Amino acid sequence: MGSQMVFQRYEIKFLLTRKQKECILKAIEPYMELDAYGRSTIRNIYYDTDNYRLVRKSLEKPVYKEKLRVRSYGVPSGGDRVFVELKKKYKGVVYKRRIRMRADEAPDYLNGSIPAPKPSQMSREIDWFLRQNKPKPKVFIACDRQAYVASDNPDLRITFDHNMRWRETELDLRAGSHGEPLAADGMVLLEIKAPGAVPLWLAHILGELDVFPTGFSKYGVCYRDNILEKYINGVITCV
């Protein structure tokens, strides 16, 4: 498994049909291979303020935005490691800082009960975010992922997410990956993660298949389509 803890890159998203996904998979065979995670189930718990201020701001597409989540690859037990991730986006560039800790430590760290197990510059950034926003666990989102890396460039990655699902209850990564569908049946989210411009061979593949970028945030779509209506009648107070 990879151990990268700091990321700075562009992330370009596309919504695909299953047929488009299969065509892209075939076309990238000469250039890419499964990465260290290969096929896995990604589990996330997104943290936000009581009034969902972070996701509301994100949906406004500001120049700068940030979010906090805890992530695991597979269902962790208490002693398994998970990632606490602070993700920022500024002028189209994604900056991600993450720290590892035990699955049973993460909830206590994020609610302020315990300090970071291994203090570092990254944990101090997350500590500052926690003090400023006092976030709480709001939504669980999972997906089944296929992840690929370019054979000649480890900084170029492609992921395909399908079977995206969510829930508002059992906000613990150890509680399994069940949930309600997040996207239309059969839709696949493609993400290209690159430090700079997409290589020409990949741009040509996408162009030939008439695949175009889209703005799609799993947490943003989840909030907009499933949560907002519950709170629209004054339950959320904008600040």
Side-chain angles (χ1 to χ4, degrees):
M1 295 291 184
S3 58
Q4 187 175 359
M5 308 301 283
V6 180
F7 302 79
Q8 179 178 332
R9 63 196 183 192
Y10 291 92
E11 295 182 355
I12 311 168
K13 301 180 182 182
F14 308 79
L15 279 178
L16 311 175
T17 64
R18 290 192 183 275
K19 183 177 180 180
Q20 288 174 317
K21 173 196 168 185
E22 294 306 318
C23 290
I24 291 173
L25 279 175
K26 184 173 180 61
I28 66 174
E29 280 182 1
Y31 309 99
M32 308 198 78
E33 57 194 27
L34 282 172
D35 77 356
Y37 286 102
R39 294 177 174 85
S40 61
T41 297
I42 310 296
R43 294 164 173 82
N44 302 286
I45 294 176
Y46 287 86
Y47 279 67
D48 209 329
T49 64
D50 284 336
N51 62 7
Y52 295 90
R53 173 169 48 82
L54 297 174
V55 69
R56 289 191 289 107
K57 181 178 179 181
S58 177
L59 289 171
E60 295 170 357
K61 300 187 183 302
V63 172
Y64 173 82
K65 59 184 179 181
E66 56 189 354
K67 60 186 173 185
L68 181 74
R69 68 190 178 200
V70 56
R71 163 172 289 190
S72 69
Y73 298 84
V75 179
S77 63
D80 289 335
R81 299 290 173 172
V82 300
F83 294 100
V84 175
E85 300 183 339
L86 179 61
K87 193 171 184 180
K88 308 176 184 181
K89 189 173 184 179
Y90 178 64
K91 292 186 176 180
V93 180
V94 173
Y95 303 86
K96 186 164 73 172
R97 305 287 187 268
R98 67 183 189 179
I99 57 176
R100 272 193 298 253
M101 63 183 62
R102 290 165 48 110
D104 55 3
E105 292 175 326
D108 290 335
Y109 166 63
L110 290 167
N111 70 25
S113 298
I114 63 172
K118 294 182 179 180
S120 65
Q121 175 59 36
M122 287 179 285
S123 71
R124 286 189 284 273
E125 289 186 41
I126 296 173
D127 290 344
W128 186 89
F129 179 93
L130 295 173
R131 289 194 298 270
Q132 293 297 310
N133 295 285
K134 298 178 175 58
K136 298 176 181 177
K138 289 296 185 180
V139 172
F140 170 92
I141 296 178
C143 65
D144 300 320
R145 171 171 289 183
Q146 291 174 247
Y148 294 83
V149 62
S151 303
D152 62 350
N153 181 2
D155 293 325
L156 174 63
R157 298 181 64 244
I158 289 179
T159 59
F160 298 91
D161 293 343
H162 60 281
N163 193 21
M164 292 176 277
R165 53 215 187 261
W166 75 284
R167 66 177 188 255
E168 284 183 282
T169 59
E170 299 179 276
L171 298 181
D172 190 317
L173 294 176
R174 296 166 289 179
S177 64
H178 57 283
E180 297 297 318
L182 182 60
D185 185 42
M187 296 305 294
V188 178
L189 178 65
L190 162 66
E191 287 191 56
I192 298 173
K193 308 165 196 288
V198 172
L200 286 176
W201 60 262
L202 183 52
H204 288 157
I205 289 171
L206 299 173
E208 289 172 1
L209 292 171
D210 291 326
V211 174
F212 303 102
T214 184
F216 187 95
S217 159
K218 296 185 188 75
Y219 181 34
V221 168
C222 180
Y223 172 78
R224 185 194 67 200
D225 294 350
N226 300 291
I227 299 173
L228 176 60
E229 185 176 353
K230 299 179 185 179
Y231 299 99
I232 201 167
N233 294 319
V235 177
I236 291 181
T237 303
C238 298
V239 295

